[in-house]
Amino acid sequence: MVAISKHMNVTLVLPELDKTSFWADPSDFGDIFDVDHFISSLKDDVHIVRELPEEYARMVAEGNYFGLPPVSWSNQTYYSNQILPLVQKYEVVRLNKTDSRLANNGLPLAMQKLRCHVNYHALRFTPRIEELGRRLVQILRGRGPFLVLHLRYEMDMLAFSGCTHGCTDEEADQLTKMRYAYPWWKEKVILSDQKRKDGFCPLTPEETALILRALGYDRDTQIYIAAGEIYGSDRRMAALHAAFPNVVRKEMLLSKEELRPFVNRSSQMASLDYLVSLASDVFIPTYDGNMAKVVEGHRRYLGFRTTILLDRKRLVELLDAYESKQLQWDEFSLAVRQVHEGRMGSPLKRRVVPGRPKEEDYFYSNPQECLCDEPSPSSRTYSRNFSFK
């Protein structure tokens, strides 16, 4: 939205955050991000106001404005030809969908670089979040190297995706009911088994434990779980805890008093996880949601820090073959390592799929225009050590 506002030369109002989703987080933009820093960092690019001036606020209160969701993956011409005339006509335009509304590719270099400036410099968490994030990292560092596992196995993710592998019949029914209860989740009838085979399901905690072992991580590895409440809780986490006794969460490292201001504030809790994820020795997301993509790109920007991007489609094939005794452990482990030799967050060109932007590498997962040099062929797929040994 900052890049789009600059392109159209219009004033940007600080965003209103969604408060009606599953998490029902009442946080405002200023509860998460340092607003003064955001505005001052962008003062030479975009005029940003905290709220609508009184005259315009009155117009909005009377319904005299135009609201719409911009077309996804649009280029700058769309905003010049379709959105700017609306601003000129109505004076206030509310863009009520802001995710994936700008193309990944084919944009002016200056626009792409501004997106990076916003993401990695202008957007800074509040001092309270930054301070507690540093404390978490300090505690973890004091215990040795650590891996962050972005374990997307919360109830809303499973209900939305329709992935029920490993769930009881009762749990699967509960997830289905939840999916139908949210009208803005468009896909209702989902074949879980097929979706899993196609690589579109988050790995289960049990599957993740096997994959980490296959990648070479041993029982001494310190693993920080960056996630909300895991669906199935202790029952589903048992295998991961058995394989890796040093699994920790922020709730285990910080006192209740330190976390009290963040209770029922899922976005602020996620901000702490984001900071720990950036600082980790290794980052492994089990599903490629928005946070995983942004962390991946941010870690590239910070010097191609090791990020293992799991090939879920291939892993499901290998997991099923191992579970059915078609593969021995050594064969399974070797295959898992080989699959991921070129998926460690090293420099590579963003994948472009003309006409199907949703299938592309997202700009924020690989902001190549903002990285030092174009990757050379010899550097595109180098691998890094799998373990801390």
Side-chain angles (χ1 to χ4, degrees):
M1 292 301 108
V2 170
I4 290 165
S5 297
K6 173 167 178 137
H7 175 70
M8 296 192 299
N9 192 26
V10 299
T11 295
L12 178 70
V13 183
L14 287 183
E16 298 173 359
L17 303 187
D18 171 29
K19 296 181 172 67
T20 62
S21 66
F22 169 79
W23 297 104
D25 186 343
S27 299
D28 291 318
F29 185 85
D31 296 322
I32 301 169
F33 297 106
D34 185 332
V35 173
D36 290 337
H37 177 76
F38 180 69
I39 293 175
S40 63
S41 296
L42 295 167
K43 68 182 187 306
D44 295 331
D45 294 293
V46 181
H47 180 230
I48 301 174
V49 295
R50 295 169 184 268
E51 57 188 19
L52 282 169
E54 184 177 348
E55 175 188 354
Y56 292 105
R58 189 164 53 249
M59 289 171 51
V60 170
E62 295 170 354
N64 297 322
Y65 72 100
F66 194 89
L68 79 162
V71 175
S72 298
W73 318 110
S74 296
N75 61 23
Q76 75 276 17
T77 304
Y78 165 80
Y79 288 96
S80 297
N81 296 345
Q82 302 294 323
I83 303 300
L84 184 56
L86 295 174
V87 178
Q88 294 166 337
K89 179 178 179 179
Y90 294 96
E91 298 189 74
V92 177
V93 172
R94 182 176 188 269
L95 303 181
N96 50 39
K97 295 283 186 182
T98 58
D99 57 320
S100 306
R101 304 294 145 169
L102 195 57
N104 295 312
N105 304 291
L107 298 175
L109 181 60
M111 183 176 265
Q112 298 288 57
K113 286 183 175 291
L114 178 56
R115 295 168 86 175
C116 290
H117 176 62
V118 175
N119 230 29
Y120 309 133
H121 299 283
L123 279 173
R124 187 168 70 189
F125 296 118
T126 63
R128 182 175 68 181
I129 292 174
E130 292 276 350
E131 181 181 351
L132 200 55
R134 283 192 294 270
R135 172 157 165 69
L136 267 173
V137 172
Q138 184 180 33
I139 293 171
L140 288 161
R141 282 267 172 255
R143 299 157 59 114
F146 67 97
L147 175 158
V148 166
L149 185 64
H150 187 42
L151 188 61
R152 286 311 316 271
Y153 210 75
E154 301 98 338
M155 185 179 185
D156 68 317
M157 171 53 64
L158 298 180
F160 172 76
S161 63
C163 297
T164 58
H165 182 71
C167 294
T168 65
D169 290 343
E170 182 180 356
E171 288 172 334
D173 183 58
Q174 183 184 39
L175 294 170
T176 300
K177 288 178 179 177
M178 181 181 176
R179 184 164 64 255
Y180 276 88
Y182 286 83
W184 50 88
W185 292 352
K186 302 301 183 185
E187 192 177 10
K188 302 299 184 185
V189 180
I190 299 175
L191 300 176
S192 177
D193 289 344
Q194 186 59 51
K195 195 165 187 177
R196 175 177 174 269
K197 289 178 181 178
D198 291 337
F200 296 135
C201 284
L203 294 178
T204 68
E206 296 89 347
E207 291 172 332
T208 303
L210 284 172
I211 296 305
L212 290 177
R213 286 179 53 211
L215 286 171
Y217 294 103
D218 61 29
R219 289 177 57 82
D220 296 330
T221 303
Q222 182 182 198
I223 299 176
Y224 176 91
I225 302 295
E229 183 178 353
I230 301 303
Y231 189 61
S233 58
D234 292 345
R235 178 178 68 84
R236 299 308 303 273
M237 291 292 287
L240 188 61
H241 283 292
F244 300 98
N246 294 326
V247 170
V248 296
R249 302 173 63 100
K250 53 187 168 294
E251 293 84 356
M252 298 167 61
L253 302 175
L254 299 174
S255 68
K256 288 184 178 180
E257 191 61 34
E258 287 173 307
L259 284 174
R260 193 180 307 282
F262 300 89
V263 173
N264 297 324
R265 302 291 192 275
S266 60
S267 293
Q268 295 182 54
M269 285 286 199
S271 301
L272 295 175
D273 286 344
Y274 188 96
L275 290 170
V276 176
S277 297
L278 282 189
S280 64
D281 296 276
V282 181
F283 175 69
I284 305 180
T286 60
Y287 193 67
D288 52 357
N290 288 332
M291 177 169 162
K293 287 185 174 71
V294 179
V295 171
E296 176 193 347
H298 203 157
R299 287 174 65 86
R300 289 180 187 276
Y301 185 80
L302 292 173
F304 300 102
R305 297 177 178 178
T306 303
T307 301
I308 302 181
L309 306 172
L310 300 178
D311 185 340
R312 293 188 305 279
K313 187 174 189 297
R314 183 72 181 113
L315 285 178
V316 166
E317 295 172 357
L318 293 172
L319 284 161
D320 289 348
Y322 174 69
E323 293 289 351
S324 63
K325 310 298 184 186
Q326 296 176 47
L327 290 177
Q328 298 300 312
W329 175 258
D330 289 346
E331 297 172 307
F332 171 71
S333 180
L334 177 61
V336 169
R337 291 180 184 229
Q338 289 176 336
V339 165
H340 293 91
E341 283 181 352
R343 302 174 65 90
M344 309 288 271
S346 55
L348 78 165
K349 295 283 284 185
R350 202 165 54 239
R351 182 170 50 113
V352 180
V353 184
R356 300 201 302 274
K358 195 172 183 179
E359 299 175 24
E360 295 180 330
D361 291 335
Y362 283 25
F363 171 81
Y364 290 113
S365 69
N366 185 5
Q368 63 191 35
E369 294 89 341
C370 308
L371 308 179
C372 295
D373 300 300
E374 284 291 308
S376 64
S378 61
S379 69
R380 286 180 184 168
T381 57
Y382 72 88
S383 62
R384 308 186 187 194
N385 292 334
F386 283 99
S387 70
F388 300 125
K389 296 296 184 182

